[in-house]
Amino acid sequence: MLIVKKFGGSSVADRDRIYNVAKRCIEDYKKGHDIIVVLSAMGKTTDQLIAQAQDINPLAPKRELDMLLTTGEQVSVSLMAMAMNALGVPAISLNAFQVQMHTTSTYGNARFKKIDYDRIRHELDNRRIVIVTGFQGVNKYDDYTTLGRGGSDTTAVALAAALHADTCEIYTDVEGVYTADPRIVPKARKMREISYDEMLELATLGAKVLHNRSVEMAKKYGVQLIVRSSLNRAPGTVVKEVVGVERMLVSGVAADKNTARISVIGLKDQPGIAFKLFDLLAKHKINVDMILQSVGRDGTKDISFTIPSGDVREVMDIIKDNQNRITAQKVECEENIAKVSVVGAGMMSNPGVAAKMFEALYNVGINIKMISTSEIRVSVIVDAKEADKAMQAIHDSFGLED
Ligand code: ASP
Ligand code: MG
């Protein structure tokens, strides 16, 4: 078998953890399997590197930021190879350049385009464990790029797809995918399995356990994922195409506190206004999430939408610079909000999920500021300070606990 194993930063945070991972990989290697290991940077390394860059130049060029951040993974893979060699097993570390993992050119948020597998194949054929840097790629200028925070998961899935691995195991410091973040909802339950679609929604909506693009890619190439702990042998959660016959009405609850609401007020109530506004944002590569337009009255209307918190300043500037063109009288921003969502493939064929969620919020006195739905999810915007309470109430009302 060819197995891809990805370990997050906390799983390689220090010497003991590195040896722990090395030993676990060697176990499977000694069974005769081919092993590719993908690593994140050790512990909080990436955060520290970002802080260091901020300190030198808060407006550092994104190219240089990627040049800096990619060093984190280079440290963890080389140390891992040294540990395995010390344990008597031939292992080699490779970075994105050596593998030739080609991405788009966007620094800080690159996407894989093409991955060469000759070098990795060659090393595997020589019975080496191959340890690859997560989170990084190279673009057409031969520069390093990074894939966005948490991107090592996507590296693992991309390699599993490119090399047709039999399985892709994502090791982390929790035992799998839970019905809600167990630090916030102590009664949350670990799921045995979850579909790609549900996992994709949860990952996009704030569950941090998997990088959302890794799930997208796993679905596209049919790579089965197993999310499990690097610290114990619990079986973990399988992410795959179909899940059991009994589809859960609701499989999980997630909260995303990294969101803000922009309201553009007093727009002319005529064709083309929404187009002009969102075209402007799209040209600046701003990811808009929920959109709400009020009923036109007296020839004007308002449009509110949510964006990632980090984009607030840029979006406010863009709109103010174009206020006349989009006919806005005023623009406002609210930053202390959170998006709380329920996800479940079963809601497609069962009405009433939204009503039940709203009832749960009503029962604990939480006001809803915005609502949006898709086939398998309902999301609401609430005050950020009420997000945890909202998650608990919703989790309780759907009976997701053990
Ligand atoms: N080290 C990177 C980060 O902290 C990538 C990853 O951990 O997946 O975001
Ligand atoms: Mg991660």
Side-chain angles (χ1 to χ4, degrees):
M1 284 219 297
L2 170 57
I3 307 175
V4 175
K5 293 171 180 285
K6 181 261 167 179
F7 295 86
S10 56
S11 301
V12 292
D14 55 35
R15 180 183 193 282
D16 288 352
R17 296 258 173 116
I18 287 177
Y19 268 101
N20 168 54
V21 167
K23 284 177 189 151
R24 271 190 96 146
C25 295
I26 288 171
E27 267 174 42
D28 280 342
Y29 169 84
K30 290 205 164 147
K31 289 178 193 153
H33 301 308
D34 287 335
I35 310 289
I36 299 172
V37 182
V38 174
L39 299 182
S40 294
M42 293 169 70
K44 300 245 170 285
T45 304
T46 308
D47 291 333
Q48 283 157 6
L49 291 171
I50 291 171
Q52 245 178 319
Q54 282 277 327
D55 184 36
I56 295 281
N57 176 359
L59 299 173
K62 288 188 169 160
R63 178 198 180 274
E64 301 308 329
L65 208 50
D66 280 359
M67 190 71 183
L68 178 70
L69 296 190
T70 47
T71 61
E73 272 68 14
Q74 200 154 319
V75 170
S76 53
V77 293
S78 50
L79 291 177
M80 183 61 68
M82 293 176 201
M84 289 182 181
N85 280 290
L87 294 168
V89 170
I92 181 167
S93 64
L94 297 173
N95 65 18
F97 229 101
Q98 292 163 319
V99 174
Q100 287 291 308
M101 305 190 76
H102 300 279
T103 68
T104 54
S105 33
T106 329
Y107 302 104
N109 194 24
R111 284 170 178 260
F112 283 122
K113 284 170 68 179
K114 184 174 166 292
I115 291 175
D116 288 358
Y117 45 79
D118 293 349
R119 177 71 191 268
I120 295 185
R121 267 267 150 255
H122 173 78
E123 303 296 348
L124 292 173
D125 288 345
N126 286 322
R127 280 302 285 154
R128 290 194 171 119
I129 295 182
V130 180
I131 308 159
V132 182
T133 47
F135 181 51
Q136 59 178 248
V138 281
N139 67 14
K140 64 181 174 201
Y141 309 113
D142 276 354
D143 281 340
Y144 279 113
T145 54
T146 61
L147 308 175
R149 297 305 305 270
S152 298
D153 298 334
T154 301
T155 306
V157 175
L159 287 172
L163 284 120
H164 302 289
D166 295 280
T167 165
C168 182
E169 302 168 347
I170 308 283
Y171 288 85
T172 170
D173 53 2
V174 292
E175 286 183 13
V177 182
Y178 284 73
T179 50
D181 185 337
R183 283 164 302 187
I184 296 165
V185 183
K187 281 190 263 175
R189 174 177 48 82
K190 184 175 71 182
M191 295 181 236
R192 210 161 37 82
E193 51 184 35
I194 182 170
S195 67
Y196 291 123
D197 290 333
E198 289 169 301
M199 189 64 239
L200 185 58
E201 292 277 10
L202 283 176
T204 308
L205 295 168
K208 299 223 171 46
V209 65
L210 283 176
H211 194 225
N212 63 351
R213 246 184 276 140
S214 73
V215 186
E216 213 172 74
M217 196 182 281
K219 178 179 160 77
K220 183 166 170 196
Y221 295 100
V223 175
Q224 183 169 307
L225 301 178
I226 302 168
V227 181
R228 55 188 304 193
S229 168
S230 63
L231 305 171
N232 64 39
R233 306 267 162 179
T237 304
V238 179
V239 187
K240 60 180 192 179
E241 190 56 63
V242 250
V243 176
V245 232
E246 285 279 302
R247 291 202 148 185
M248 292 289 287
L249 180 60
V250 161
S251 55
V253 186
D256 180 1
K257 295 177 186 165
N258 179 29
T259 187
R261 174 165 72 170
I262 305 284
S263 300
V264 192
I265 296 170
L267 296 160
K268 281 208 174 115
D269 192 15
Q270 65 187 35
I273 295 297
F275 161 66
K276 279 184 192 151
L277 171 60
F278 292 108
D279 184 51
L280 206 55
L281 297 173
K283 290 212 166 94
H284 286 83
K285 295 198 163 59
I286 303 293
N287 242 324
V288 174
D289 183 31
M290 293 184 186
I291 300 176
L292 191 78
Q293 177 178 305
S294 69
V295 176
R297 203 171 282 145
D298 304 327
T300 69
K301 63 188 173 189
D302 308 333
I303 294 181
S304 302
F305 54 90
T306 61
I307 52 168
S309 306
D311 292 342
V312 165
R313 229 205 283 151
E314 189 180 355
V315 169
M316 290 298 276
D317 286 348
I318 294 172
I319 294 179
K320 283 185 183 148
D321 289 349
N322 293 275
Q323 203 160 340
N324 288 340
R325 204 158 81 81
I326 57 176
T327 73
Q329 287 168 14
K330 195 160 73 164
V331 49
E332 288 171 358
C333 151
E334 193 178 357
E335 296 198 62
N336 295 321
I337 57 167
K339 179 172 57 178
V340 179
S341 312
V342 289
V343 171
M347 64 175 84
M348 247 186 291
S349 47
N350 282 283
V353 169
K356 194 165 176 178
M357 177 184 187
F358 303 157
E359 183 189 18
L361 294 172
Y362 163 68
N363 285 338
V364 290
I366 292 177
N367 190 36
I368 299 171
K369 294 166 176 277
M370 257 172 135
I371 300 170
S372 80
T373 63
S374 81
E375 270 190 323
I376 64 165
R377 128 184 107 84
V378 184
S379 300
V380 296
I381 296 289
V382 299
D383 251 4
K385 60 180 189 308
E386 294 187 315
D388 292 356
K389 191 161 103 184
M391 271 230 273
Q392 282 154 2
I394 296 166
H395 195 270
D396 271 359
S397 80
F398 282 98
L400 297 177
E401 68 273 12
D402 280 317

